[in-house]
Amino acid sequence: MATLAPASTATRVIPGGSFLISNPSPADCFFPEDFTEEQRQIAQTTAEFALNEVVPASDAIEAKDFSVTRRLIKQASDLGLTSVDIPEEYGGLEMDKVTSAIIAENIAKQGSFSVAFSAHVGIGTLPIVWYGTPEQKKKYLPKLASGEFIGAYALSESTSGSDALNARTRAVLSSDGQSYVLNGEKMWISNAGFADLFTVFARCEVKEGKDAGKERLTAYLIERGTPGLTIGSEEHKLGIRGSSTCPLILTDCKVPAANLLGEVGKGHHIAFNILNVGRYKLGNAAVGAARMCLGNGIRYAKERKAFGKTISEFGLIQEKLAAAAIGVFIGEALSYRTVAMIDAALAGVDQQDPAAIQKAIEDYAVECSIVKVWDSEMLDQVVDDVVQIYGGYGYVEEYPAERAYRDSRINRIFEGTNEINRLIITGWLIKSAMSGKLALMPAIKQLMDEVMAGPSERPEREGSLAEAYALLDSAKKLTLFAAGAATQKYMQQLADQQEVMAAIADMVIEAYAMESGILRANKILSGKGSADIATAMARVYAEKAMEKIEISARRVLAAVAEGDMLRTQLTILRRLAKHDPADTIGLRRQIAQHVLRAGKYAL
Ligand SMILES: Cc1cc2nc3c(=O)[nH]c(=O)nc-3n(C[C@H](O)[C@H](O)[C@H](O)COP(=O)(O)OP(=O)(O)OC[C@H]3O[C@@H](n4cnc5c(N)ncnc54)[C@H](O)[C@@H]3O)c2cc1C
């Protein structure tokens, strides 16, 4: 059995989704402070490559000169940056997922290139790593690792994006069993303009088993130049304009049977499993982009003068810089915490066994969706604030804020829209609760008993994070309380109440983000880093998250109860949410002064 050696920093295996009903300690979680020396070096190498090679080529990239993008991916390959997820025997470095996420974060200094790179190393390569036959791996992985081949992933169609299982593209096995003939059209395919290898999903008739006679999603490896495969014209996009996005047209496209990836009818496993990885990596890339934007915002704020001062001296500018710094801090915390949990789970899994890998990753579907939603929305707020810091200059092309603003928007759409990811979060938790996989129901029952018994003494905590921990405790209780009330009212029909599902997801997301920040700050308190600033960031975020949780809980309760019942529930809500507010204005000023002094995000 080929298993990955657990990284020296691996945490213990923590079941996915369990954070709501447990109290993990800082030692249970992995944060950037836990990076190994090797991981730090890889971060630095990647960041230097992105700054020195990619950013200066920005104009050519944005002009869709794909020879430049190809050359840069090749250069990245020469540094080993495209091969961390590929097994050694196929020319890869076979490293942990945290390292892969570090690369995704640090390469993200030019949006279009970041998307091209991620599509190649992620959705373009991983399907073969996990589901390829030894022959397919031998044939393609060394070329993908070296950058000789560029990969792409073709799942979406013009009439089915979120609803990907509803694809119309069909594959039919030839009568001699030697090939499949594909007909249909794929849409929005990243890297299509210059990719050499496409993982294409089509419906194909299943011959045996419970789905025999039905057409189910199936994956195929199709090389550029295969007769019947035509690449359509480039889309003209709002952002990431330098990335390639084209349709694929398949007209009697004959694919050798040897290029079937995985099994007929099992393509949905490949599609969705790869998307989970895509989601957390998108999160890392969003954090990297936010860090870059913050750096630009700081530089500009220190140079620009108004009313006889640099604008960095104004409280309302400092507030935005602090918010961006907090975004990066919390984003890193929840992203790396999640990836490391996946690493810990994968460490004990046979790397040749796709089903086992799939199961291990699927267990963290909630966390992957949280990372995707939280980080993409955080980045959208940061780019917006940075445009505002630049004032009128933020609105013109010559300044970096304008492109960052446009480039950010796609992150809420691809890798599953944020609506779909919110539905996944609540849906997955409720399903796990109903099946008994996750002990949410007993936790809700215990909470109900507790709140019905009236006000209780809160456990006393000491130290600078005491208030934040108390808020976290309340946040989890409120989330369980509102989720419990909604489940009780709608039972199995909760899935039809999308707005309620999304409001519950918002609470879950904020509780995870809040906890990740607090645990990270706590870890920094007893180790490396600027403890005062980390604590300030965790405290400000805890307040903000609690505000959001309270609003969402109120919305859920108002939807599920009325009259006396609603009034009772709102009394409980107020009791759970009660706290003395922290001075977030003062704390934000402290954070802004710190980043202004450092000239960048620095802990
Ligand atoms: C630049 C770019 C690059 C892309 N790269 C790739 C790629 O490399 N490979 C690939 O396969 N695809 C790619 N995509 C496709 C992308 O994944 C889809 O656009 C995305 O999944 C959304 O699908 P859609 O566009 O069909 O929107 P729809 O699914 O039609 O959604 C429209 C709206 O309805 C909402 N919605 C849909 N279903 C539900 C529901 N059940 N409940 C509530 N709301 C719902 C959505 O959230 C959205 O707001 C890319 C797209 C873009 C724009």
Side-chain angles (χ1 to χ4, degrees), residues 115 119 123 152-164 186-192 199 201 235 237 239-240 243-246 275 410 412-421 423 498:
V115 167
I123 54 182
Y153 170 95
L155 175 65
S156 303
E157 299 187 2
S158 58
T159 52
S160 59
S162 306
D163 189 13
K186 294 285 162 185
M187 192 154 176
W188 317 114
I189 309 311
S190 299
N191 288 353
T199 300
F201 294 84
E235 304 293 347
K237 308 187 293 281
I240 53 163
S243 71
S244 167
T245 316
C246 311
L275 282 182
I410 185 60
R412 281 160 53 201
I413 298 173
F414 58 17
E415 305 288 356
T417 64
N418 284 15
E419 288 78 12
I420 294 293
N421 275 290
L423 297 176
Q498 289 200 337

Side-chain angles (χ1 to χ4, degrees), residues 307-495:
F307 300 95
K309 292 176 170 181
T310 60
I311 61 169
S312 63
E313 292 173 67
F314 298 131
L316 291 179
I317 295 295
Q318 293 189 2
E319 194 175 50
K320 294 179 186 35
L321 295 174
I326 294 168
V328 175
F329 177 78
I330 304 286
E332 283 180 334
L334 61 91
S335 301
Y336 286 107
R337 173 184 179 188
T338 300
V339 190
M341 284 198 290
I342 293 175
D343 262 337
L346 283 176
V349 165
D350 182 352
Q351 297 302 301
Q352 311 295 334
D353 182 353
I357 293 173
Q358 188 178 302
K359 215 194 138 299
I361 296 178
E362 261 172 21
D363 204 27
Y364 299 94
V366 165
E367 284 85 354
C368 290
S369 289
I370 291 176
V371 169
K372 196 273 175 180
V373 172
W374 195 92
D375 285 342
S376 62
E377 293 179 3
M378 175 274 292
L379 177 59
D380 264 358
Q381 186 59 55
V382 170
V383 295
D384 191 86
D385 282 345
V386 173
V387 165
Q388 203 66 14
I389 290 173
Y390 273 75
Y393 296 97
Y395 206 68
V396 294
E397 278 183 12
E398 286 91 325
Y399 289 80
E402 185 262 356
R403 185 161 49 74
Y405 183 82
R406 289 187 288 100
D407 287 351
S408 164
R409 188 61 181 83
I410 185 60
N411 292 304
R412 281 160 53 201
I413 298 173
F414 58 17
E415 305 288 356
T417 64
N418 284 15
E419 288 78 12
I420 294 293
N421 275 290
R422 282 188 160 87
L423 297 176
I424 291 174
I425 291 168
T426 308
W428 192 98
L429 285 172
I430 300 288
K431 198 169 141 214
S432 303
M434 297 290 185
S435 69
K437 179 175 150 71
L438 205 60
L440 275 177
M441 290 309 176
I444 289 172
K445 169 141 194 341
Q446 193 190 335
L447 174 69
M448 292 296 185
D449 294 345
E450 193 185 313
V451 293
M452 290 304 171
S456 58
E457 283 293 302
R458 291 192 173 191
E460 281 297 315
R461 252 186 188 273
E462 297 206 330
S464 52
L465 286 166
E467 274 299 323
Y469 268 109
L471 278 181
L472 175 61
D473 184 54
S474 303
K476 288 189 184 181
K477 284 183 173 160
L478 259 184
T479 305
L480 289 176
F481 180 61
T487 336
Q488 209 170 19
K489 159 112 187 201
Y490 297 114
M491 308 298 277
Q492 308 292 348
Q493 273 67 52
L494 182 57

Side-chain angles (χ1 to χ4, degrees), residues 519-539:
L519 291 172
R520 182 177 181 193
N522 198 351
K523 195 171 238 190
I524 292 173
L525 270 176
S526 51
K528 311 166 203 166
S530 308
D532 290 353
I533 294 304
T535 303
M537 295 205 261
R539 289 182 63 198

